[in-house]
Amino acid sequence: MPGRRCLRGGVWSLFRLLLVDAPRRREAASVNSPSPGERPAVSPCPPARPEVETLTAYSAPLEGRRGLLRLDFNENTVGPSPKVVAAVRAIPADHYAIYPEYDGLREAVITALVDESVTGPGSDSDTESLPGSGTLTAAHIGLFNGVDEALHAVFHAYGAAGERLLTTSPTFGYYTPCARMQGMEIEAIPYRLPGFAFPFEEIKAALAATAPRLLLICNPNNPTGTRLAPQRILELAAAAPGTLVVVDELYEAFTGDSVLPLLLSGNGAPSPGVSTAAGTDPFAAYPNLLVLRSLAKTAGLAGLRFGFAVGAPALVDRVSRVSGPYDVNSFAVTAAHAALADQAYTDAYVAEVLRARAWLLEQLVAAGVRHHAAGGNYLLLWPLRPAAVVESELRAAGILVRSMAGKPLIDGALRVSLGTIEQMEQFWAAYRRIEGLA
C-alpha cells in the first residue's frame, strides 16, 4: 500500500542517515578539520594582478588618536570653522538619502583661488590689474575624495607597466604604492644634504635623459619641508612637455609656494616678456601641469575627505574619468562650501601656526636640539635617545608625533606637526622632561 511504502521509505532514509551517511561525514570532517592548535585551511582567493600580489600597501597608525594632542599627521589641530560645523549639522535627514550634488562647488574653489592669488602669502598685489591674467573655469577643477584619491586617479590615468615615475626622496609615502600598483619603475632622487635642498639640476637632467611618464613634486615637501620656487617648477614643466608634472601643494598655505598665483597673473609664461592673453587658459603654456590641493591641513576637513586638482581642462577630464561619479560625499560638499566661504578663519589658523612655529624654533635653538624646519606646518627634530622610545613616551604623555624610522636621510628623526602656541608649549614641556633638557 502507498502508506506502507512511504513509511518503509522514511525508515530507510533515517537508517541511511544514522548508519551510513553520518560515519562518512565524520570521516570527511576528520580529514578536513584542523588538529588542535592548527589554523583552519583557507581556500585561496583568485590571484590579483602580479603588481598587486607583490604590493606593500601604504599604512599609517590611524587608530586610538582621539583625545590626544595630534602632532603626527600634519592635520589642523583645532578643528574647522564653526560655520562648517553649523552647515553640516543643518543638513536635513532626508538629504542623507540623496546622491551628492556638486553645482557651484568648482566655482567656489575658483573664487578662493583667485582671492588667494591676490592676497595670499605668495601673491602679487597687482594681480587684479594685470592685463595678462588668465581665467579659471569649472573645467579646470577636478573634485576628489581627498588628495589621496586624486593621486590614485593620476596613476590610473597615466601610469602603466614599465613606465617611470620621477620624484624625490624622502617624500610622501603614498606615491610609491600608487606607482607600484601600476607596475611603474620609480626613480627617486635624494635631497641634497646638509640642508635638504631640492635637487633641481638632477631632476632636470633625469627629465632630459629618461623622459619619465610622471614627475611628482611635493612642494613644500613632506617630511623635509623643502621648498622649490614656483618659477622653477614651471621651468621643469616647460622643459618636459611629454611628462605629466604633478605638484602636491597640500602645505603651500603656510609658506606661499604655489604656482597658481603666477599662472593666474600671467607671470608664469615660459619665456620672459611673454604673458598670457587676458581671459585665456592660464594653463595654456603648461598643458602637462596638474596642481593638487586639499582642505585637510588648513581648514580642518581631514575627516571628511575633500581635495581638488587644478589644471588644463583636457588633463583634468582624463584624470576625472577614472574616478567614481559620487566619490565626494554630501557632508564633504557642504563642509567645503562653508570652509571656502570662511577664509578668514583658515587664515587666522595659519597665522597662529606660524607664530607657534617661531616660538618653538626659539626653544629648540636655545636648548641646542638638532632640528630642521623649512616649509609646511611641521618640522624635524633628532632626539638624544632612540626616536621610537621618545615617540612612545610622548604618546604616554598624551602627545602624538611621527617617527621617521627607515626613511632615507632622516632615519632617527621625529616629525612634529605644528599647532597653536598653547599646544606647542604642551609639547615642549613634555619633550624637555622626556629628554632631560635643562
Side-chain angles (χ1 to χ4, degrees), residues 270-281:
S271 300
V274 179
S275 63
T276 305
T280 61
D281 182 358

Side-chain angles (χ1 to χ4, degrees), residues 16-31:
R16 180 182 178 88
L17 177 66
L18 294 175
L19 299 181
V20 178
D21 289 349
R24 290 177 179 174
R25 290 194 182 100
R26 286 195 296 270
E27 181 180 358
S30 67
V31 171

Side-chain angles (χ1 to χ4, degrees), residues 13-380:
S13 297
L14 180 61
F15 174 80
R16 180 182 178 88
L17 177 66
L18 294 175
L19 299 181
V20 178
D21 289 349
R24 290 177 179 174
R25 290 194 182 100
R26 286 195 296 270
E27 181 180 358
S30 67
V31 171
N32 297 323
S33 299
S35 301
E38 289 183 347
R39 300 179 64 180
V42 178
S43 299
C45 69
R49 291 186 292 112
E51 295 86 356
V52 177
E53 289 293 333
T54 59
L55 183 67
T56 300
Y58 178 78
S59 62
L62 292 170
E63 307 304 326
R65 301 176 63 241
R66 284 156 177 76
L68 304 177
L69 178 53
R70 299 172 288 103
L71 305 181
D72 52 344
F73 281 179
N74 303 338
E75 301 157 314
N76 173 305
T77 59
V78 300
S81 158
K83 294 180 180 179
V84 170
V85 177
V88 171
R89 287 176 173 168
I91 299 175
D94 64 304
H95 286 196
Y96 295 9
I98 305 173
Y99 284 111
E101 299 178 4
Y102 306 116
D103 287 350
L105 184 53
R106 291 176 176 84
E107 289 77 8
V109 169
I110 290 170
T111 298
L113 292 177
V114 171
D115 290 346
E116 171 194 302
S117 71
V118 178
T119 62
S123 65
D124 182 335
S125 59
D126 294 327
T127 296
E128 282 188 314
S129 62
L130 284 172
S133 298
T135 302
L136 289 174
T137 67
H140 287 92
I141 309 297
L143 306 178
F144 297 93
N145 183 23
V147 164
D148 291 346
E149 194 227 342
L151 287 165
H152 204 261
V154 165
F155 281 92
H156 270 284
Y158 284 91
E163 294 183 327
R164 183 178 297 268
L165 164 67
L166 177 63
T167 189
T168 54
S169 177
T171 193
F172 180 40
Y174 190 53
Y175 302 159
T176 293
C178 283
R180 295 292 188 208
M181 72 177 68
Q182 299 301 114
M184 299 184 74
E185 299 175 2
I186 301 173
E187 182 178 3
I189 297 179
Y191 287 94
R192 296 175 179 170
L193 294 177
F196 303 103
F198 189 88
F200 184 83
E201 294 303 327
E202 294 91 330
I203 291 286
K204 192 172 182 179
L207 285 173
T210 64
R213 182 63 161 164
L214 291 169
L215 168 61
L216 223 167
I217 299 173
C218 188
N219 191 47
N221 182 55
N222 170 28
T224 64
T226 303
R227 300 169 61 186
L228 181 61
Q231 189 63 57
R232 306 307 299 273
I233 294 176
L234 298 183
E235 183 180 337
L236 292 173
T243 295
L244 174 57
V245 178
V246 181
V247 189
D248 183 342
E249 289 191 350
L250 258 65
Y251 303 99
E252 64 76 33
F254 298 96
T255 37
D257 297 300
S258 176
V259 299
L260 293 177
L262 276 178
L263 296 174
L264 294 178
S265 70
N267 289 337
S271 300
V274 179
S275 63
T276 305
T280 61
D281 182 358
F283 285 86
Y286 305 98
N288 62 324
L289 178 65
L290 191 70
V291 179
L292 304 182
R293 292 282 194 95
S294 166
L295 298 184
K297 311 303 182 182
T298 53
L301 303 190
L304 291 173
R305 313 305 299 137
F306 176 72
F308 56 93
V310 190
L315 177 53
V316 170
D317 170 64
R318 281 155 178 78
V319 174
S320 298
R321 289 179 190 179
V322 296
S323 297
Y326 306 116
D327 283 356
V328 183
N329 69 73
S330 295
F331 293 91
V333 170
T334 297
H337 273 293
L340 291 167
D342 194 4
Q343 189 61 39
Y345 177 89
T346 300
D347 291 344
Y349 174 72
V350 170
E352 172 66 9
V353 169
L354 294 178
R355 286 190 291 270
R357 177 184 186 272
W359 179 86
L360 182 58
L361 287 176
E362 289 180 2
Q363 314 312 310
L364 294 173
V365 170
V369 175
R370 181 189 171 195
H371 65 279
H372 175 76
N377 61 334
Y378 46 87
L379 52 78
L380 296 172

